[in-house]
Amino acid sequence: MQQSTLKKLSEVLGISISTVSRALKDHPDISENTKTKVKELATALEYEPNNYAVQLRTRQSNLLGILVPSIDNFFYDSFIAAVEEDARLHGYSVMIMQSRDKAQIETANLHLFRKNMVMGLFASISIETEDMTPFRKLEEQKIPVVFIDRVAEVEGYHKVCLADAEAARIAAEAIIEKKKKRVLGLFGHPHLSITKIRCASFKETFEKHAPKTKLTIDYPETINESKRVALEILKGKNRPDAIFCMGDQILIGVMYAIHKLKLKVPDDIGVIGISNGLFPTLYDPKITYVETSGFKLGKLAFAQMLSCLRNDHTPEEVTVESLLIEGGSL
Amino acid sequence: MQQSTLKKLSEVLGISISTVSRALKDHPDISENTKTKVKELATALEYEPNNYAVQLRTRQSNLLGILVPSIDNFFYDSFIAAVEEDARLHGYSVMIMQSRDKAQIETANLHLFRKNMVMGLFASISIETEDMTPFRKLEEQKIPVVFIDRVAEVEGYHKVCLADAEAARIAAEAIIEKKKKRVLGLFGHPHLSITKIRCASFKETFEKHAPKTKLTIDYPETINESKRVALEILKGKNRPDAIFCMGDQILIGVMYAIHKLKLKVPDDIGVIGISNGLFPTLYDPKITYVETSGFKLGKLAFAQMLSCLRNDHTPEEVTVESLLIEGGSL
DNA sequence: GGACATGCAGCAATCGGTTGATTAATGATT
DNA sequence: AATCATTAATCAACCGATTGCTGCATGTCC
């Protein structure tokens, strides 16, 4: 681990450490002559500034944190991919942590982020999160937090969300357009604001444009629950003629049930979901879905973060627009 | 960002910085009396040692690097989850980077790892990787590298692999037991050692136990290629009666083709794969697969890393055993 | 009472950079 | 020749924690 340091460079060239430091930074005080000499030696010796020393002195870590419930999830994956890409382009490194939907792990991770002095944090809160003080601690230290996707239901934070209401509305409208009469809407954890918003918008759209539709709502939280709920309801009488799935997990469970019961999509039953894009394309016919791009979300969130880092931006809520991708399942 | 520091503590208590530092570390030179006073104040003021200062002084970053081709992949996800869990328990932080299967990004990331002074690295090499010097640079700096899954075909490295040959053999044996006559084997990128090993073992098993089997081999690299290849071959005459899919991507493509052609699994065609576990369970009947657990791999790799970090362990190759999970598709 | 061991705490250098203040050298001005 | 501006490089303090060495009290023993 024989790193070359400013000291080593300065000794070789017989000049002072500070001159070397400034030469490498193109400081106007240093002559062109010296600059080129220093730079040449620096590349020759593969000089790399010691991150920890720089951070200690400047208090600039160039580190951004990402906190998500879990990374084994295509939505967050594409989000992370987008952020990481932009971060690298802007000279930031990224530290990723998972809360696993436990408030306790979330708090521990926030602590680690602080300890590592991230300059900003992207966070999607866990299902359990009720107390926002651990997040506030970051803000107290002037570390901007940009909430994404699953955001806190509190004012005064930077938030970048999917157009949740819009996405649910688009899905509802698509169902209405197909003149479906008995609709099953499956949503995620009822505690999350994202669920509440989508569910409310979904119901509202039906009330407004097709009040006679028979709407059944349920909240399965896992693939298995979704499977069970779907099987139960699809086996019952007055089977729905369309199912809306709020997320991939639910969709997977529903499709399993549909195959199990040997129902034909879309003739026996129409299916529509909200998804990042992979899973709906695995089925035949492909599932019609409202796209919620983690990638776009990441790009937008990063832009938001940059403006936070530059000036003390006022809290703002931004949304990623939704798009209906027709797949033939409705 | 008003962190409390040793200096602040020392000023409050009216003792020197070094005494505070030693008190917090239970150094024998310090009296119990002082120790308790210091510790109380430390917790009261939420003192946290500054990571960067500690690292600068001690050259211990307690950071581990993980380099994988991509994180949007259930196998690597579960691997990362396992490593992260163990790392946290042992007081390490984890820095994750993706090579996106580009040698250039891989090298850039390795550079970042060095810059951040990771104490050890887990790496799954990219498809493009031919030159191992960027990895060697880490080893030169005494940073242990544990290769996982997609390992270098070179001696002298720590490697933790799936039992690739074994997994392919188990799959082949399962196919043979079902007395299938015309088998299509689909493998991944032919450049990777993992592909070569699995393919060789697969063929070998047939030659040994069922030499009369008609074996067709292909190497689709993406979902779409897999879809195309499967459609083409399944539409041809002398349709295979069993398909082996080396990975999830291939399986997804194959299943799409099978549904498209309205073939019945397992009556018209048997399917078996190698997988981490999620995708095979999405279909009905569930796909029979040889389990290759990213989670177990992670646990094993971390253990290996720990022993590397402790003593200068001799290079060693470890494998995760494989397990056949019957799903009804063969 | 003097020599010595022991307990407890402080001094100061160090890790590798950064940066404001300062010095030295050169040339221009009067 | 003395003064001043300009350029180019050095000095030295600093970020926060660690650690070898030193120094001061006490207490003990002969």
Side-chain angles (χ1 to χ4, degrees):
Chain A
M1 175 99 110
Q2 250 327 63
Q3 300 276 33
S4 42
T5 66
L6 285 189
K7 189 174 171 191
K8 190 171 294 172
L9 295 193
S10 74
E11 279 166 3
V12 173
L13 292 171
I15 56 179
S16 80
I17 294 178
S18 36
T19 305
V20 177
S21 173
R22 289 192 165 100
L24 289 172
K25 294 196 142 46
D26 269 328
H27 193 286
D29 272 7
I30 310 297
S31 67
E32 282 308 321
N33 195 343
T34 314
K35 277 183 192 170
T36 52
K37 261 194 291 183
V38 169
K39 285 179 185 168
E40 272 170 22
L41 187 68
T43 46
L45 262 55
E46 293 189 307
Y47 167 77
E48 283 288 334
N50 180 321
N51 238 309
Y52 294 86
V54 174
Q55 146 69 12
L56 177 59
R57 184 64 232 246
T58 63
R59 305 163 153 289
Q60 298 268 313
S61 67
N62 283 350
L63 230 198
L64 295 178
I66 299 182
L67 176 64
V68 291
S70 65
I71 62 170
D72 43 352
N73 173 311
F74 280 102
F75 177 70
Y76 289 122
D77 279 342
S78 57
F79 167 77
I80 292 171
V83 171
E84 204 182 43
E85 190 178 306
D86 277 9
R88 200 195 337 276
L89 292 176
H90 285 82
Y92 290 96
S93 292
V94 166
M95 183 171 172
I96 304 161
M97 305 239 119
Q98 315 178 62
S99 69
R100 296 261 152 219
D101 270 325
K102 302 266 182 269
Q104 198 196 336
I105 300 186
E106 188 171 75
T107 308
N109 285 337
L110 289 176
H111 190 240
L112 271 176
F113 282 128
R114 267 180 32 226
K115 219 177 142 155
N116 283 283
M117 308 215 183
V118 295
M119 301 183 67
L121 175 68
F122 299 94
S124 184
I125 64 176
S126 86
I127 288 181
E128 289 184 4
T129 308
E130 306 228 314
D131 179 15
M132 295 298 287
T133 31
F135 287 99
R136 273 230 173 81
K137 274 195 184 172
L138 289 179
E139 303 240 310
E140 275 168 24
Q141 295 184 10
K142 300 270 176 259
I143 300 173
V145 180
V146 172
F147 288 94
I148 53 133
D149 189 33
R150 279 151 50 165
V151 304
E153 287 177 271
V154 194
E155 293 294 308
Y157 288 107
H158 297 269
K159 303 177 186 176
V160 182
C161 319
L162 300 164
D164 291 312
E166 189 196 347
R169 180 177 52 71
I170 291 175
E173 285 171 357
I175 295 174
I176 292 168
E177 193 167 313
K178 296 282 182 178
K179 308 212 186 301
K180 301 289 181 178
K181 296 300 170 206
R182 295 178 306 284
V183 175
L184 172 61
L186 296 180
F187 296 82
H189 199 296
H191 177 82
L192 293 171
S193 75
I194 187 174
T195 302
K196 293 181 195 166
I197 294 173
R198 287 177 175 181
C199 193
S201 163
F202 191 74
K203 286 183 190 164
E204 198 182 295
T205 309
F206 275 100
E207 274 160 28
K208 202 158 151 192
H209 300 299
K212 277 180 284 179
T213 312
K214 180 168 182 301
L215 221 51
T216 314
I217 303 288
D218 208 324
Y219 303 91
E221 287 169 32
T222 62
I223 293 182
N224 280 327
E225 270 185 52
S226 158
K227 207 183 279 187
R228 190 179 51 67
V229 168
L231 271 175
E232 196 175 302
I233 295 182
L234 290 177
K235 271 197 267 185
K237 59 180 182 178
N238 268 333
R239 193 179 66 209
D241 52 7
I243 303 189
F244 165 78
C245 308
M246 190 187 107
D248 283 330
Q249 309 242 325
I250 294 170
L251 176 66
I252 290 170
V254 164
M255 289 309 290
Y256 190 88
I258 288 177
H259 285 149
K260 195 87 190 166
L261 297 174
K262 305 218 184 304
L263 299 175
K264 293 273 171 284
V265 174
D267 298 336
D268 295 338
I269 189 156
V271 178
I272 186 168
I274 296 186
S275 170
N276 196 26
L278 176 66
F279 285 95
T281 65
L282 299 189
Y283 299 97
D284 181 48
K286 290 180 183 166
I287 307 300
T288 295
Y289 67 99
V290 182
E291 188 203 45
T292 57
S293 164
F295 198 80
K296 283 185 200 162
L297 185 74
K299 293 284 179 185
L300 219 56
F302 190 83
Q304 180 84 177
M305 177 63 78
L306 267 192
S307 71
C308 289
L309 289 171
R310 279 202 268 263
N311 42 65
D312 252 331
H313 206 258
T314 153
E316 202 179 315
E317 200 164 329
V318 184
T319 54
V320 181
E321 57 188 40
S322 299
L323 211 64
L324 184 72
I325 313 278
E326 300 267 7
S329 68
L330 192 66
Chain B
M1 177 96 110
Q2 249 327 61
Q3 299 276 33
S4 42
T5 66
L6 287 188
K7 190 173 171 190
K8 189 170 296 173
L9 297 192
S10 74
E11 279 166 3
V12 173
L13 292 170
I15 57 180
S16 80
I17 295 178
S18 37
T19 303
V20 176
S21 171
R22 287 189 169 101
L24 289 171
K25 296 199 140 46
D26 270 328
H27 193 285
D29 272 8
I30 309 297
S31 66
E32 281 309 320
N33 195 341
T34 315
K35 276 183 193 170
T36 51
K37 261 194 290 183
V38 170
K39 285 179 186 168
E40 273 170 20
L41 186 68
T43 45
L45 263 55
E46 293 190 307
Y47 168 76
E48 283 287 334
N50 179 319
N51 236 307
Y52 293 86
V54 173
Q55 146 69 13
L56 177 59
R57 185 64 231 249
T58 65
R59 307 165 150 288
Q60 298 268 314
S61 67
N62 283 349
L63 229 198
L64 295 178
I66 298 183
L67 176 64
V68 291
S70 65
I71 62 171
D72 43 352
N73 172 310
F74 281 101
F75 177 70
Y76 289 122
D77 279 342
S78 57
F79 167 78
I80 291 171
V83 171
E84 205 183 43
E85 190 177 307
D86 278 9
R88 196 191 349 269
L89 291 176
H90 285 82
Y92 290 96
S93 293
V94 166
M95 182 171 173
I96 303 161
M97 306 238 116
Q98 316 179 61
S99 70
R100 296 262 154 217
D101 270 325
K102 303 267 182 268
Q104 199 196 335
I105 300 185
E106 188 171 75
T107 308
N109 284 337
L110 289 176
H111 190 239
L112 270 175
F113 282 129
R114 265 177 38 224
K115 218 175 143 157
N116 282 284
M117 307 215 184
V118 296
M119 300 184 69
L121 174 70
F122 300 94
S124 184
I125 63 175
S126 86
I127 287 181
E128 289 184 4
T129 308
E130 306 227 313
D131 180 14
M132 294 298 287
T133 33
F135 287 99
R136 265 220 184 89
K137 273 194 185 171
L138 289 178
E139 304 240 308
E140 274 168 24
Q141 296 184 10
K142 299 270 176 261
I143 301 173
V145 180
V146 172
F147 288 94
I148 52 133
D149 188 34
R150 277 150 50 164
V151 305
E153 287 177 272
V154 194
E155 293 293 309
Y157 288 107
H158 297 270
K159 303 176 186 177
V160 182
C161 320
L162 300 164
D164 292 311
E166 190 195 347
R169 180 177 52 71
I170 290 174
E173 284 170 359
I175 295 173
I176 292 169
E177 195 167 311
K178 296 282 181 179
K179 308 214 185 301
K180 301 290 182 179
K181 296 301 168 204
R182 295 177 306 283
V183 175
L184 171 60
L186 296 181
F187 295 83
H189 198 296
H191 177 81
L192 293 171
S193 75
I194 188 174
T195 302
K196 292 181 194 165
I197 292 173
R198 287 177 174 181
C199 192
S201 164
F202 191 75
K203 286 183 188 164
E204 200 181 293
T205 308
F206 276 99
E207 274 161 27
K208 204 160 152 192
H209 300 299
K212 278 180 283 178
T213 312
K214 181 168 181 300
L215 221 52
T216 314
I217 303 289
D218 209 325
Y219 303 91
E221 289 168 30
T222 62
I223 293 181
N224 280 328
E225 269 185 53
S226 159
K227 205 182 279 187
R228 190 179 51 69
V229 169
L231 272 175
E232 196 174 302
I233 295 182
L234 290 177
K235 272 197 266 183
K237 59 180 182 179
N238 269 332
R239 192 179 66 210
D241 52 7
I243 303 189
F244 165 77
C245 308
M246 192 187 105
D248 282 330
Q249 310 242 323
I250 295 170
L251 176 65
I252 290 170
V254 165
M255 289 310 291
Y256 190 89
I258 287 177
H259 285 150
K260 196 87 191 167
L261 298 175
K262 305 215 186 303
L263 298 176
K264 293 272 169 286
V265 174
D267 297 338
D268 295 339
I269 189 156
V271 178
I272 186 170
I274 296 186
S275 169
N276 196 26
L278 176 66
F279 286 96
T281 64
L282 300 189
Y283 299 97
D284 181 48
K286 290 182 183 164
I287 306 299
T288 295
Y289 67 98
V290 183
E291 188 204 44
T292 57
S293 162
F295 198 81
K296 284 184 197 163
L297 185 75
K299 292 285 178 183
L300 218 57
F302 190 83
Q304 180 84 177
M305 176 63 79
L306 266 192
S307 70
C308 289
L309 289 171
R310 279 204 267 263
N311 41 65
D312 252 328
H313 206 259
T314 152
E316 201 181 313
E317 200 164 328
V318 184
T319 53
V320 181
E321 58 188 40
S322 300
L323 212 63
L324 184 72
I325 312 279
E326 301 267 6
S329 68
L330 191 67

